[in-house]
Amino acid sequence: HREHIESMDSVLGHLSIPSDARVLDVGGGRGMHACFLASRYRECWCSDVINYQSLYGGEYYRLFKEKCERNSVFYENDSLQFIECDAMDILFKDDYFDFVTSFNAFEHIPDPKKALAEMVRVTKKGGVIYLTFDPIWTADTGSHFIHRVEDPWAHLLLSDDEFVEKMSSAGADAGELSDYIHGMNRLRLAAYRSIFAEIREYSDIEILHDTTWSGFADKSYKKHPNYKLCQSKGYSREELEIRGLRFLIRKSG
């Protein structure tokens, strides 16, 4: 998580987010990115489709604070708030946040186009949006369960029933099986490119940074038979190799 924040800093470059900024982290998961943000800014909200109060038998907030302290990440108690919130229907008014972030969530959101529009909506004029996500569905580890089914790209070649059977044989529990079926939007590279091409047409949007990166989780994967087999099924080499995307967006004043 610290490396993700450092990568964000390198993309922000000369842009300065003031220390009194109000920040929203969309799809914030267990909050580890948000804790870094809260240590820098006056107010940070971590949002996800999670009932934080119920996690770990109601002990989430205490355990989270202890984890941050163990890793030398300190923030004021009132600078970080958690909220159960759908990224496609953000529970804040228009033009509310100075800085909106999202780390490795867009590949999970059912309708990332709608989520992106919501992020733009709640960002103030002159505010900044930073989002990055990896791995997308067509990457070698795009199933997010390579630790259960070790063959790269197997999720593109097997039916859901076949993949779930392999996961179960490898020890996956019911929660993991559900995450595989329901936890990824399964969008291909062209769909993401279309979403961000459309946002370029917004009159109040400027894309300051736009990158993709390619590679394999293991160098040996390029020689795996599934790589060629996926190409024979209509997947391009580009989409099989691109792992993630990153954008820095400014909402015009």
Side-chain angles (χ1 to χ4, degrees):
H1 296 91
R2 192 187 302 272
E3 289 177 357
H4 293 161
I5 295 295
E6 291 171 350
S7 180
M8 178 192 75
D9 289 340
S10 69
V11 171
L12 288 174
H14 66 280
L15 285 179
S16 177
I17 310 298
S19 60
D20 64 348
R22 180 181 286 138
V23 180
L24 172 66
D25 188 31
V26 175
R30 295 297 192 267
M32 296 314 299
H33 295 110
C35 73
F36 286 102
L37 296 168
S39 70
R40 298 180 175 188
Y41 305 114
R42 173 177 60 89
E43 181 181 333
C44 179
W45 289 82
C46 178
S47 70
D48 209 325
V49 287
I50 294 173
N51 185 327
Y52 290 98
Q53 188 69 39
S54 68
L55 293 177
Y56 306 113
E59 291 291 300
Y60 171 75
Y61 295 114
R62 179 182 65 81
L63 296 172
F64 175 79
K65 184 73 172 179
E66 291 176 356
K67 186 173 184 178
C68 290
E69 291 175 350
R70 286 198 305 272
N71 289 276
S72 301
V73 183
F74 303 102
Y75 59 88
E76 298 296 328
N77 287 334
D78 58 354
S79 64
L80 177 57
Q81 302 292 330
F82 294 85
I83 182 170
E84 183 178 358
C85 177
D86 190 329
M88 299 176 293
D89 186 18
I90 297 175
L91 302 177
F92 290 94
K93 65 182 181 180
D94 296 359
D95 306 314
Y96 191 70
F97 292 98
D98 302 284
F99 187 31
V100 177
T101 63
S102 183
F103 299 86
N104 296 333
F106 260 53
E107 75 271 29
H108 299 284
I109 297 170
D111 188 344
K113 179 180 177 180
K114 190 172 182 180
L116 181 57
E118 280 290 274
M119 291 171 71
V120 171
R121 179 185 65 78
V122 301
T123 301
K124 291 181 180 179
K125 293 179 180 179
V128 175
I129 299 168
Y130 173 85
L131 62 94
T132 181
F133 50 103
D134 172 358
I136 61 174
W137 181 249
T138 48
D140 51 4
T141 59
S143 71
H144 286 56
F145 287 99
I146 193 72
H147 59 292
R148 295 299 189 190
V149 181
E150 297 181 352
D151 291 333
W153 300 287
H155 58 291
L156 302 181
L157 299 169
L158 300 175
S159 69
D160 280 351
D161 287 344
E162 290 170 331
F163 197 90
V164 163
E165 183 178 352
K166 284 182 173 292
M167 285 181 64
S168 297
S169 298
D173 60 27
E176 289 178 302
L177 301 180
S178 178
D179 281 346
Y180 174 72
I181 296 296
H182 305 292
M184 275 76 73
N185 58 36
R186 306 190 180 199
L187 293 182
R188 293 172 67 166
L189 179 62
Y192 288 116
R193 284 185 166 157
S194 176
I195 290 168
F196 287 95
E198 287 185 33
I199 199 174
R200 291 180 189 276
E201 304 302 317
Y202 287 27
S203 60
D204 59 347
I205 287 299
E206 180 183 7
I207 295 185
L208 305 177
H209 181 94
D210 172 359
T211 56
T212 61
W213 54 94
S214 302
F216 306 100
D218 187 302
K219 291 181 179 180
S220 67
Y221 288 170
K222 191 170 185 178
K223 297 181 179 179
H224 195 282
N226 282 355
Y227 181 57
K228 292 291 187 182
L229 189 54
C230 283
Q231 292 176 57
S232 73
K233 298 292 185 180
Y235 294 95
S236 69
R237 290 181 60 183
E238 181 186 38
E239 67 179 330
L240 295 174
E241 295 183 13
I242 285 183
R243 302 193 60 77
L245 299 87
R246 177 167 52 217
F247 296 87
L248 181 64
I249 299 166
R250 180 161 54 198
K251 188 173 179 180
S252 302

